[in-house]
Amino acid sequence: MLTKDSFSKTNIIDAHTHCSGVNIQNFMELSYPYSCNVSELLLQMEHSGIDYSIAFPMLTNTITIQKLFTVVNNNMGNSTLGFLNLINEHFLKEVELFGKGKILPFALLSIKESMLEQIKNLMALSKKYDIYGIKIHPTNDETPIQALVDNSAVI
Protein backbone atom coordinates (compact mmCIF):
# COMPACT_ATOMS: atom_id res chain seq x y z
CA MET A 1 0.00 0.00 0.00
CA LEU A 2 1.24 3.48 -0.83
CA THR A 3 1.89 5.84 2.06
CA LYS A 4 2.34 9.61 2.25
CA ASP A 5 6.09 9.00 1.84
CA SER A 6 5.40 7.48 -1.60
CA PHE A 7 4.47 10.87 -3.01
CA SER A 8 6.63 13.86 -3.82
CA LYS A 9 5.52 17.48 -3.96
CA THR A 10 5.64 17.36 -7.75
CA ASN A 11 3.25 14.43 -8.31
CA ILE A 12 0.10 14.98 -10.33
CA ILE A 13 -2.86 13.00 -9.01
CA ASP A 14 -6.12 12.69 -10.93
CA ALA A 15 -8.70 12.59 -8.15
CA HIS A 16 -11.63 11.14 -10.12
CA THR A 17 -11.34 8.38 -12.72
CA HIS A 18 -13.37 5.28 -13.58
CA CYS A 19 -12.19 1.98 -14.99
CA SER A 20 -12.86 -1.75 -15.09
CA GLY A 21 -16.26 -2.64 -16.43
CA VAL A 22 -18.97 -1.23 -18.64
CA ASN A 23 -21.25 1.74 -18.04
CA ILE A 24 -24.41 0.04 -19.23
CA GLN A 25 -26.40 3.26 -19.63
CA ASN A 26 -23.71 4.92 -21.78
CA PHE A 27 -23.43 1.73 -23.84
CA MET A 28 -27.19 1.59 -24.47
CA GLU A 29 -27.29 5.31 -25.36
CA LEU A 30 -24.27 5.02 -27.72
CA SER A 31 -22.51 7.48 -25.41
CA TYR A 32 -18.81 7.62 -24.53
CA PRO A 33 -17.03 6.47 -22.48
CA TYR A 34 -18.89 3.26 -21.93
CA SER A 35 -15.84 1.30 -20.81
CA CYS A 36 -12.21 1.71 -19.78
CA ASN A 37 -9.91 -0.96 -18.42
CA VAL A 38 -6.92 -0.36 -16.13
CA SER A 39 -4.42 -0.67 -18.99
CA GLU A 40 -6.27 2.01 -20.98
CA LEU A 41 -6.35 4.28 -17.94
CA LEU A 42 -2.60 3.81 -17.44
CA LEU A 43 -1.97 4.79 -21.08
CA GLN A 44 -4.14 7.89 -20.69
CA MET A 45 -2.28 8.77 -17.48
CA GLU A 46 1.12 8.37 -19.15
CA HIS A 47 0.05 10.45 -22.15
CA SER A 48 -1.25 13.21 -19.85
CA GLY A 49 1.66 13.21 -17.40
CA ILE A 50 -0.44 11.96 -14.48
CA ASP A 51 1.47 10.06 -11.79
CA TYR A 52 -1.45 8.55 -9.82
CA SER A 53 -5.20 8.18 -10.24
CA ILE A 54 -7.89 7.73 -7.65
CA ALA A 55 -10.21 5.33 -9.42
CA PHE A 56 -13.72 3.98 -8.96
CA PRO A 57 -15.44 1.05 -10.65
CA MET A 58 -17.17 1.88 -13.93
CA LEU A 59 -20.86 1.65 -13.13
CA THR A 60 -24.14 3.06 -14.36
CA ASN A 61 -26.31 3.04 -11.25
CA THR A 62 -27.99 0.52 -9.02
CA ILE A 63 -31.39 1.31 -10.57
CA THR A 64 -30.11 0.21 -13.99
CA ILE A 65 -28.56 -2.88 -12.41
CA GLN A 66 -31.87 -3.76 -10.76
CA LYS A 67 -33.65 -3.40 -14.11
CA LEU A 68 -30.97 -5.54 -15.76
CA PHE A 69 -31.46 -8.29 -13.21
CA THR A 70 -35.21 -8.35 -13.72
CA VAL A 71 -34.44 -9.34 -17.31
CA VAL A 72 -31.35 -11.50 -16.76
CA ASN A 73 -31.73 -14.32 -14.23
CA ASN A 74 -28.45 -14.65 -12.33
CA ASN A 75 -27.14 -17.06 -9.73
CA MET A 76 -25.47 -14.66 -7.29
CA GLY A 77 -28.05 -14.70 -4.48
CA ASN A 78 -29.36 -11.19 -3.92
CA SER A 79 -28.81 -9.98 -7.46
CA THR A 80 -27.95 -6.35 -6.72
CA LEU A 81 -25.71 -7.08 -3.70
CA GLY A 82 -24.04 -9.96 -5.52
CA PHE A 83 -23.45 -7.79 -8.55
CA LEU A 84 -22.06 -4.89 -6.47
CA ASN A 85 -19.63 -7.27 -4.78
CA LEU A 86 -18.64 -8.71 -8.15
CA ILE A 87 -18.05 -5.20 -9.56
CA ASN A 88 -15.84 -4.29 -6.60
CA GLU A 89 -13.84 -7.53 -6.69
CA HIS A 90 -13.34 -7.42 -10.45
CA PHE A 91 -12.20 -3.80 -10.22
CA LEU A 92 -9.85 -4.40 -7.28
CA LYS A 93 -8.35 -7.50 -8.89
CA GLU A 94 -7.75 -5.66 -12.17
CA VAL A 95 -6.03 -2.80 -10.32
CA GLU A 96 -3.93 -5.31 -8.36
CA LEU A 97 -2.83 -7.09 -11.53
CA PHE A 98 -2.16 -4.12 -13.79
CA GLY A 99 -2.25 -0.81 -11.89
CA LYS A 100 -0.85 -1.43 -8.40
CA GLY A 101 1.21 1.53 -7.26
CA LYS A 102 -0.29 3.90 -9.85
CA ILE A 103 -4.04 3.54 -9.38
CA LEU A 104 -5.53 4.08 -5.92
CA PRO A 105 -8.81 2.12 -5.88
CA PHE A 106 -11.95 3.22 -4.04
CA ALA A 107 -14.65 0.55 -3.68
CA LEU A 108 -18.32 1.20 -4.35
CA LEU A 109 -20.92 1.26 -1.55
CA SER A 110 -24.62 1.63 -2.33
CA ILE A 111 -26.77 3.25 0.35
CA LYS A 112 -29.85 1.73 -1.27
CA GLU A 113 -28.82 -1.84 -0.45
CA SER A 114 -27.92 -3.56 2.84
CA MET A 115 -24.96 -1.51 3.99
CA LEU A 116 -24.00 -4.00 6.71
CA GLU A 117 -23.74 -6.82 4.17
CA GLN A 118 -21.74 -4.62 1.79
CA ILE A 119 -19.35 -3.58 4.56
CA LYS A 120 -18.79 -7.25 5.44
CA ASN A 121 -18.02 -7.92 1.77
CA LEU A 122 -15.65 -4.93 1.61
CA MET A 123 -13.85 -6.03 4.78
CA ALA A 124 -13.27 -9.45 3.20
CA LEU A 125 -12.03 -7.81 -0.01
CA SER A 126 -9.68 -5.55 1.98
CA LYS A 127 -7.85 -8.67 3.18
CA LYS A 128 -7.05 -9.54 -0.46
CA TYR A 129 -6.68 -6.10 -2.08
CA ASP A 130 -5.65 -2.56 -1.23
CA ILE A 131 -8.70 -0.29 -0.84
CA TYR A 132 -7.91 3.40 -0.41
CA GLY A 133 -11.46 4.58 0.20
CA ILE A 134 -15.17 4.12 -0.40
CA LYS A 135 -17.30 5.82 -3.05
CA ILE A 136 -20.86 6.57 -2.00
CA HIS A 137 -23.05 8.04 -4.73
CA PRO A 138 -26.63 8.67 -3.55
CA THR A 139 -27.76 10.21 -6.84
CA ASN A 140 -26.67 7.04 -8.66
CA ASP A 141 -28.80 5.07 -6.22
CA GLU A 142 -31.68 7.54 -6.67
CA THR A 143 -31.73 7.67 -2.86
CA PRO A 144 -31.81 10.79 -0.66
CA ILE A 145 -28.60 11.54 1.25
CA GLN A 146 -30.69 11.20 4.43
CA ALA A 147 -30.48 7.42 3.91
CA LEU A 148 -26.76 7.67 4.70
CA VAL A 149 -27.54 9.50 7.96
CA ASP A 150 -30.25 6.95 8.79
CA ASN A 151 -27.71 4.13 8.34
CA SER A 152 -24.85 5.86 10.15
CA ALA A 153 -24.84 3.29 12.97
CA VAL A 154 -23.90 0.63 10.41
CA ILE A 155 -20.93 2.64 9.19
Side-chain angles (χ1 to χ4, degrees):
M1 177 161 293
L2 296 173
T3 65
K4 66 178 182 174
D5 297 328
S6 304
F7 303 99
S8 74
K9 292 185 179 193
T10 59
N11 290 133
I12 297 174
I13 302 172
D14 187 335
H16 192 139
T17 61
H18 291 269
C19 62
S20 182
V22 175
N23 182 312
I24 299 162
Q25 187 170 347
N26 283 1
F27 182 81
M28 297 302 289
E29 294 173 355
L30 299 174
S31 188
Y32 181 83
Y34 62 85
S35 71
C36 178
N37 63 38
V38 169
S39 298
E40 291 169 332
L41 179 58
L42 289 169
L43 284 173
Q44 291 172 6
M45 289 168 56
E46 184 179 339
H47 178 74
S48 302
I50 295 170
D51 299 300
Y52 302 97
S53 281
I54 295 172
F56 313 102
M58 179 81 75
L59 179 66
T60 303
N61 59 46
T62 55
I63 300 301
T64 303
I65 291 169
Q66 288 169 341
K67 288 177 185 173
L68 176 68
F69 279 105
T70 60
V71 176
V72 178
N73 184 14
N74 75 353
N75 58 3
M76 291 185 264
N78 176 318
S79 60
T80 305
L81 279 179
F83 195 61
L84 288 169
N85 196 49
L86 183 64
I87 288 168
N88 279 321
E89 182 153 20
H90 189 284
F91 166 67
L92 294 166
K93 183 175 184 177
E94 189 175 343
V95 170
E96 178 82 19
L97 289 171
F98 305 110
K100 189 173 176 109
K102 298 288 284 176
I103 296 177
L104 315 176
F106 277 48
L108 178 69
L109 180 77
S110 169
I111 61 175
K112 189 174 188 110
E113 301 301 323
S114 167
M115 291 178 64
L116 183 58
E117 193 64 35
Q118 290 177 84
I119 290 169
K120 287 178 186 176
N121 290 337
L122 292 174
M123 294 300 290
L125 288 173
S126 73
K127 293 179 183 357
K128 294 167 59 174
Y129 308 104
D130 291 340
I131 300 176
Y132 286 84
I134 303 293
K135 175 162 183 159
I136 298 172
H137 202 316
T139 55
N140 253 12
D141 287 341
E142 296 182 8
T143 305
I145 193 67
Q146 183 64 37
L148 186 58
V149 174
D150 295 342
N151 287 304
S152 62
V154 175
I155 299 173

